[in-house]
Amino acid sequence: MDSQTSQSPQASQTPHTFQVDLRGLVDLLSHHLYSSPKVYLRELLQNAVDAVTARRAEQPGAPARVRLHTDCEGGAGLRVEDSGIGLTEADVHSLLATIGRSSKRAEGIQAARSDFLGQFGIGLLACFVVAERIRVVSRSARTPEARPVEWTAGDDGSYTVRTLPHEARREPGTTVHLVARPGAAEWLAPRRVLELARDFGALLPYDVRVDDEAVTAPAPWDRPHPSPADRRVALARHCHGLFGFTPLDVVDLSVPLAGIRGVAYVLPTAVSPAQRARHRVHLKGMLLTERAGQLLPDWAFFVRCVLDTDSLRPTASREAVYEDETLAAVREALGARIRGWLADLAAGDPERLSAFLGVHHLGVRALARHDGEMLRTMLPWLPFETTEGQMSLEEFAQRHPVVHFTRTVEEFRQVAPIASAQGIGVVNGGYTYDGELVEALPSVRPGTSVAELDADTVTAHLDRVDPAEEPALSDFLATARAVLDPLGCDVSLRAFLPLSVPALHLDDRAARHELARAEAEARADELWAGILGSLRGGAPRARVVLNHLNPLVRRISSLKEPDLVRTAVQSLYGQALLRAQRPLRPADSALLNRAFIGLLEWATHEEGGH
């Protein structure tokens, strides 16, 4: 027993090798790592292109071609040939037989690592997503005297390796044969292979063909064109083929320091800033993702990009861009390029700029609120809703020494007709970003005065009633104040235009907050009522300004029946609330209902009296 005990620690240190269930691993790849079986073709292209790159690093004049043949294995197979570096028998045993190891780690290839597409050595393993058998025939360019070698593997995890006669493959390079697994033949069909090869490899730097049909071509932004107009037409056609729309404009995104070449297509219709943008990113010519959402700053949601880069880092699945400092730097560089395009339009092409802003002013507003230089550039162009119609802040500020603005669209709708009649210039700051931009105006236009419009400012611009008429109106005003005081509303009498407005409801954020606090205090228990009471502020209450110039108000003020005056005041208050588009509280709804019933009763009573 002692001897067994003493031997157990020694036995526990014996090394063992993990047993890998290849079928389980393939299932893991297909259901969790990769988004679709189609990535098998990308892996085949990737391995072929990397092999060609490795050979040309040692033999610059070596051929650079990749051929995909679909006419094999009775239509249920695929053959991929490349003129790359190739493998010896020792390479095969060392590399292909070990899951997770990459041929790109081989001696001599590591030095050219930055030129390779692959980073994770999954390689041929991904092909088992669609294939039940893989056969690789390869001849090394580095060791020309070595005989070709054949590696054959099944999806059960077994494989064989054998050397072949020299004539089995006379030229260096590698040929990969796939035999489709049951139910996956469609992925190896000629039309599907050509479609996937063009999608993944259209920008690859080498000659790639599927059944003698060319796949690769120079990037559309690099191709020569007879004129700039012809180039725009060609890029618009490219955009329509990729994204399904004809762009409003095209922005070149060449950033050599960031290793980026490409274009941004400006959307022809407005989109929500919350909509997830999808950009196409190629890594050294190979499509990495068509759903890169973090490529541009959030404000640049009005473009869709397609670009090629050699600096961004792919995720493990090679279907997305890794969020790191490099991506952050690229995002900043691309944002600067788009910002420069906007500045160029403002300086030299105002017609195109106006067309762009007519669709995408929201994106420019989002940029301008964080970028003083962009705000200064766009100031003469961005349209704002004002009491004098649509105009830029620059033009509006030139007309008004004080730029008043409202925080909400409802406030602007409430005061715009009155303010305009009194000569008060008001900007509607209720739309997204507009209030922030108006407040930032003094920072880019020194000397400009900006103030939020409040009830006191509006009331101060309204004419007072003739003092000789005030004594006759005192009873009417006392009744009106008694009616509206329980609703937290004061009453004023002024003379203002337009004559058609009998009553104006005015409040501001502070007044609304105080009203909400008071209502909450009335509903709360004793403890909370005390807490809310301690928060009572000195903000002015809401106010109804009755228009003494309005004929209806004049007739009501001369009525002798107190009950009818109260009902009429309630009706004027309700009409002013509705005109201001304020939400009705239960107390307001009850008051409107009483006023309506009261007027009906009065009308029917009068009719019955006749």
Side-chain angles (χ1 to χ4, degrees):
M1 181 149 180
D2 291 342
S3 63
Q4 290 177 350
T5 302
S6 63
Q7 290 176 1
S8 58
Q10 180 67 28
S12 66
Q13 296 182 20
T14 303
H16 297 279
T17 302
F18 281 108
Q19 299 299 310
V20 178
D21 179 355
L22 188 57
R23 284 197 177 97
L25 189 55
V26 168
D27 180 74
L28 180 67
L29 289 175
S30 60
H31 290 92
H32 299 284
L33 183 61
Y34 294 133
S35 62
S36 166
K38 68 181 182 180
V39 297
Y40 88 90
L41 193 67
R42 184 197 63 199
E43 294 292 341
L44 286 174
L45 284 176
Q46 206 156 266
N47 284 345
V49 169
D50 283 344
V52 171
T53 300
R55 183 178 180 187
R56 287 171 71 88
E58 299 181 8
Q59 304 171 14
R65 60 177 180 268
V66 179
R67 299 289 183 266
L68 293 84
H69 303 280
T70 59
D71 55 345
C72 55
E73 302 293 342
L78 176 67
R79 187 173 80 253
V80 182
E81 300 177 349
D82 69 62
S83 58
I85 194 69
L87 301 171
T88 64
E89 182 179 5
D91 293 333
V92 167
H93 281 292
S94 173
L95 302 171
L96 293 185
T98 304
I99 293 174
R101 184 174 294 179
S102 171
S103 61
K104 292 177 283 296
R105 294 191 179 94
E107 181 182 354
I109 301 179
Q110 179 68 30
R113 178 88 177 171
S114 64
D115 294 327
F116 294 130
L117 303 170
Q119 294 289 328
F120 302 97
I122 295 175
L124 288 175
L125 186 61
C127 295
F128 281 117
V129 172
V130 299
E132 67 176 0
R133 190 171 73 254
I134 302 174
R135 184 166 68 95
V136 178
V137 177
S138 187
R139 182 164 187 167
S140 174
R142 190 180 292 115
T143 314
E145 67 278 6
R147 293 168 61 183
V149 61
E150 177 190 72
W151 177 85
T152 305
D155 62 0
D156 59 356
S158 63
Y159 71 93
T160 61
V161 178
R162 65 187 181 111
T163 56
L164 303 176
H166 283 286
E167 58 270 17
R169 185 178 178 93
R170 297 185 179 278
E171 297 295 327
T174 300
T175 302
V176 179
H177 303 257
L178 301 187
V179 178
R181 63 191 309 157
E186 62 167 310
W187 292 104
L188 278 64
R191 181 177 297 180
R192 178 60 65 89
V193 171
L194 179 60
E195 174 189 321
L196 293 178
R198 283 178 171 164
D199 196 36
F200 283 120
L203 302 186
L204 288 171
Y206 304 136
D207 179 16
V208 180
R209 296 176 181 269
V210 175
D211 295 331
D212 293 328
E213 190 160 351
V215 168
T216 55
W221 49 84
D222 287 336
R223 298 172 195 166
H225 297 281
S227 68
D230 291 323
R231 183 176 187 268
R232 283 196 297 271
V233 170
L235 288 173
R237 191 180 303 116
H238 175 252
C239 174
H240 195 276
L242 281 184
F243 299 113
F245 66 85
T246 300
L248 191 66
D249 206 348
V250 179
V251 186
D252 281 297
L253 295 180
S254 178
V255 187
L257 292 178
I260 286 175
R261 296 175 302 112
V263 290
Y265 294 118
V266 181
L267 289 161
T269 56
V271 294
S272 167
Q275 181 177 326
R276 191 70 168 179
R278 293 190 170 189
H279 309 294
R280 290 176 63 94
V281 178
H282 296 254
L283 180 61
K284 303 181 183 73
M286 182 74 74
L287 178 65
L288 179 65
T289 178
E290 53 190 353
R291 299 186 300 273
Q294 303 300 320
L295 190 65
L296 295 179
D298 291 340
W299 54 261
F301 55 83
F302 49 82
V303 298
R304 296 293 178 266
C305 295
V306 53
L307 54 83
D308 188 25
T309 176
D310 59 15
S311 61
L312 296 179
R313 176 183 168 193
T315 59
S317 65
R318 279 173 280 186
E319 294 184 277
V321 177
Y322 192 82
E323 183 72 49
D324 57 11
E325 292 181 358
T326 302
L327 178 57
V330 165
R331 184 162 49 235
E332 183 177 348
L334 295 180
R337 185 64 195 89
I338 295 174
R339 189 163 50 241
W341 165 76
L342 284 171
D344 290 343
L345 285 187
D349 201 338
E351 186 174 333
R352 284 170 65 199
L353 178 64
S354 296
F356 166 76
L357 290 177
V359 179
H360 297 298
H361 61 89
L362 195 59
V364 179
R365 281 169 155 79
L367 169 60
R369 68 178 180 142
H370 294 303
D371 189 318
E373 186 59 37
M374 184 51 56
L375 177 59
R376 188 177 292 105
T377 301
M378 291 291 108
L379 205 57
W381 305 102
L382 280 175
F384 286 77
E385 184 178 9
T386 77
T387 48
E388 299 179 23
Q390 291 281 333
M391 66 175 58
S392 71
L393 286 182
E394 175 68 26
E395 183 180 0
F396 190 81
Q398 289 174 358
R399 298 185 182 186
H400 297 277
V402 178
V403 177
H404 290 98
F405 72 100
T406 62
R407 292 283 182 183
T408 68
V409 175
E410 291 77 12
E411 288 177 10
F412 181 80
R413 298 282 186 266
Q414 174 187 2
V415 303
I418 311 302
S420 179
Q422 311 309 313
I424 307 173
V426 185
V427 178
N428 185 353
Y431 295 117
T432 305
Y433 308 132
D434 282 10
E436 297 172 78
L437 292 176
V438 175
E439 288 185 296
L441 189 56
S443 67
V444 297
R445 197 177 188 276
T448 303
S449 179
V450 172
E452 182 176 354
L453 188 68
D454 56 24
D456 287 338
T457 302
V458 176
T459 305
H461 281 76
L462 304 181
D463 293 335
R464 291 186 173 274
V465 178
D466 186 346
E469 298 185 53
E470 287 184 355
L473 298 171
S474 58
D475 290 343
F476 166 65
L477 289 176
T479 301
R481 287 165 181 154
V483 169
L484 299 184
D485 183 72
L487 298 172
C489 188
D490 293 332
V491 177
S492 299
L493 186 66
R494 293 287 190 274
F496 57 87
L497 299 175
L499 297 177
S500 58
V501 178
L504 180 65
H505 182 276
L506 296 175
D507 62 5
D508 51 30
R509 285 187 302 164
R512 290 194 293 275
H513 291 165
E514 174 60 21
L515 182 60
R517 186 209 59 77
E519 290 178 345
E521 180 182 356
R523 296 192 303 268
D525 58 27
E526 184 177 352
L527 174 62
W528 281 109
I531 295 174
L532 291 169
S534 67
L535 299 176
R536 182 181 297 111
R541 304 199 303 173
R543 183 177 311 167
V544 167
V545 182
L546 300 174
N547 188 0
H548 188 53
L549 298 181
N550 180 265
L552 176 61
V553 172
R554 281 182 171 273
R555 288 197 296 270
I556 294 173
S557 66
S558 63
L559 291 173
K560 302 304 181 182
E561 297 85 352
D563 289 342
L564 181 56
V565 172
R566 281 192 289 270
T567 301
V569 169
Q570 291 172 345
S571 299
L572 289 174
Y573 170 77
Q575 190 267 351
L577 268 183
L578 294 174
R579 185 182 184 87
Q581 300 183 18
R582 285 280 177 261
L584 298 181
R585 300 168 294 162
D588 298 327
S589 299
L591 177 141
L592 281 174
N593 184 60
R594 290 196 304 272
F596 180 70
I597 297 298
L599 289 175
L600 285 179
E601 289 179 345
W602 189 268
T604 54
H605 171 73
E606 287 293 306
E607 185 177 340
H610 289 303

